[in-house]
Amino acid sequence: MSSQGFPRQLRLLTAGDYRRVFDTAAFKVHGKGLMALASPNDLGHPRLGLIFSKKNVRRAVDRNRLKRIARDSIRLRQHRLPPVDIVLLARRGVQDLDNATVHRQLHGMWKRLEREANKAATSDAPEAERR
C-alpha cells in the first residue's frame, strides 16, 4: 500500500528552495484566488511550498484553513504529479470560497500542471525516443 502522508521531504523548507522556484518557474497555473508556480526538480517527487500572506488573506483562521486544504490536496495527488517544486500563492478573495470550491480549484490546477509538465517532457525528448 502506498503512503498517503505529507512528510518533510514533500515540502519546500528553505528560502533558497522558494527562490529557485520563483527564478526558474517553468509552469504557471491559475485558479480562482490561487496561483501555482512550478519548477522541475531532480528528486523524483513533487514538493510544495505555501505562501498565504496576511495582505491577501487577513484572518489567521482563514490562512490556516486554506493551507490545510492545500496540503491535503497535494497529499492525495502526490503520486500523480510530476517531479516539480510547487509554490502555491493566495490572491485576494480566496478566503471567501468554501472548502469544496477550494478543493475543486486545486484539483483542476494539479491536473493542468500534470498535463503541462507531461507535454513539456515529451517535447523535450529527442525524436527517436518518442517513437
Side-chain angles (χ1 to χ4, degrees), residues 31-32 34 97 100-109 112:
K32 184 174 183 169
L34 297 167
L97 301 175
T101 304
V102 174
H103 241 298
R104 276 195 311 275
Q105 289 289 324
L106 288 168
H107 181 73
M109 289 171 65
R112 285 194 303 275

Side-chain angles (χ1 to χ4, degrees), residues 72-86:
D72 187 48
S73 175
I74 199 85
R75 182 182 64 81
L76 295 173
R77 299 274 306 174
Q78 68 186 344
H79 301 294
R80 297 194 50 134
L81 288 171
V84 293
D85 290 340
I86 304 165

Side-chain angles (χ1 to χ4, degrees), residues 35-72:
M35 180 175 70
L37 300 173
S39 177
N41 69 32
D42 297 330
L43 302 173
H45 57 81
R47 295 191 304 171
L48 178 68
L50 302 170
I51 299 179
F52 290 83
S53 69
K54 205 183 281 191
K55 179 179 177 183
N56 291 333
V57 183
R58 296 298 288 165
R59 297 183 331 158
V61 66
D62 290 328
R63 287 193 303 275
N64 292 335
R65 175 181 64 94
L66 293 166
K67 287 192 273 188
R68 191 171 53 249
I69 293 169
R71 282 189 213 105
D72 187 48

Side-chain angles (χ1 to χ4, degrees), residues 119 121-131:
K119 189 186 336 177
T122 57
S123 67
D124 289 346
E127 186 67 31
E129 288 182 11
R130 281 191 260 163
R131 291 184 193 169

